[in-house]
Amino acid sequence: MVNLAMAVAVPLYIWPTINAWQPLYNAISAAPNTTFNIIINPDSGPSNGASQPDIISAVTTLRSHSNVQLFGYVHIEYAKRSADSVHKDIKTYSTWKKTSKSDIHLDGIFVDEAPWETKYLPYMKDIQTYIHNTMPKSHQKVWTNPGIPIDAKFYDYADYVNAYENSYADWNATGHNKIPECLRQKSTVMIHDFPKNAPGKLNSDTKNIVANGYNATFITTSSGYEDFSAIWSQYVKDVAKLTTTTKVKTLPNCKK
Ligand SMILES: *[C@@H]1O[C@H](CO)[C@@H](O)[C@H](O)[C@H]1NC(C)=O
Ligand SMILES: *[C@@H]1O[C@H](CO)[C@@H](O)[C@H](O)[C@H]1NC(C)=O
Ligand SMILES: *[C@@H]1O[C@H](CO)[C@@H](O)[C@H](O)[C@H]1NC(C)=O
């Protein structure tokens, strides 16, 4: 079940050795009414993930939960990567399947290193079209990551846009004001380097984020995504609770 409330975004750039994803399984079980939008990334792309026992077993465990959506990671080098190579990665993910023994099918594709200059709109349109033509029906979601606020036209070629990926210091200073309100429903946010010793701060910042109507968010005290940080389980608890208790602002439509 996909809930309409703000989801937890999870850039899961961790290889699933035994127990490595356990904090994620625990969080998903503890927050059954929260949707987790999870990016699966075997090796900066699909590589041969579909034949790796670690991946098959861990992704099948994720798939046993109904409150997850899984996205296969591809990178596009800010529209400099050849369309053929990008297509090939997407095609590979499209073969990730459910069988009698395992289930590693994906719900869509996460397109990292998305460009922000509007001259690249046709490139992004091509990727969306390819995903729609290649991924199995109803598993064709497109989540792009420019990492900064971008022109509204790019939102025509994505279901979700990760419009913010930066440190907490930047978010706290001006970052939270930069994503136009009318784009927030389709905007996701990833904040790293959250202060480690700031009790209460996580809850109040998360409350603000929920109230501002973002689609899905991730907050970590780490500088990257190679671990589950010390605030991970608290963050998920806060999202699960705050999405049921916080009034979300009414967001305007973008002017055409
Ligand atoms: C999930 O939502 C259902 C239906 O609204 C509710 O009964 C249940 O208590 C919720 N579970 C949790 C863990 O919040
Ligand atoms: C966030 O910004 C406020 C000012 O707007 C400042 O007082 C506070 O120290 C900042 N918090 C952190 C953790 O950087
Ligand atoms: C997030 O985006 C999806 C797809 O664009 C949409 O269906 C969903 O309602 C959005 N969620 C929120 C909380 O705005």
Side-chain angles (χ1 to χ4, degrees), residues 168-173 176 193-195 198 201 205:
Y168 176 76
D170 182 83
W171 175 259
N172 186 50
H176 62 282
D193 290 295
F194 191 85
K201 193 99 197 76
D205 277 298

Side-chain angles (χ1 to χ4, degrees), residues 111 120-129 131-132 142-144 152-161 186:
V111 183
Y120 294 124
L121 281 162
Y123 184 103
M124 297 310 287
K125 182 175 189 206
D126 167 80
I127 291 182
Q128 183 199 44
T129 305
I131 291 170
H132 289 171
V142 182
W143 185 6
T144 60
K153 290 195 195 81
F154 279 107
Y155 283 71
D156 291 344
Y157 306 125
D159 298 287
Y160 316 86
V161 174
K186 281 178 76 175

Side-chain angles (χ1 to χ4, degrees), residues 18-37:
I18 301 278
N19 296 334
W21 290 5
Q22 193 62 46
L24 178 57
Y25 308 148
N26 295 349
I28 294 168
S29 303
N33 294 338
T34 301
T35 302
F36 290 75
N37 291 336

